[in-house]
Amino acid sequence: MKKLLIYKENGEFVIERVNEFNHAFKRNFISEQGLFEGLQSYQPVIDEYELEVSDELWSLVLNFLNSKDFQK
């Protein structure tokens, strides 16, 4: 199963995509808005991914994924 790992590292937000071959690709964002834009790019295929979100970002990410901005 493909995964999206979402966490903070060195003060930056990270979306790490792990494909079905267990290869990882990381994208770093310096702001919450950047993180949201990064997540928005997965909107058409988000149901293909298992999400693993750090405890500190769980509510932030969950609120965004349930927002009208993400559902567009």
Side-chain angles (χ1 to χ4, degrees), residues 25 42 46 53 56 68:
F25 305 91
Y42 288 97
I46 196 79
V53 183
E56 71 177 307
K68 291 180 183 176

Side-chain angles (χ1 to χ4, degrees), residues 37-54:
E37 290 172 6
L39 286 171
Q40 187 67 41
S41 69
Y42 288 97
Q43 194 270 339
V45 293
I46 196 79
D47 58 338
E48 297 175 15
Y49 288 88
E50 177 182 326
L51 294 179
E52 291 185 17
V53 183
S54 68

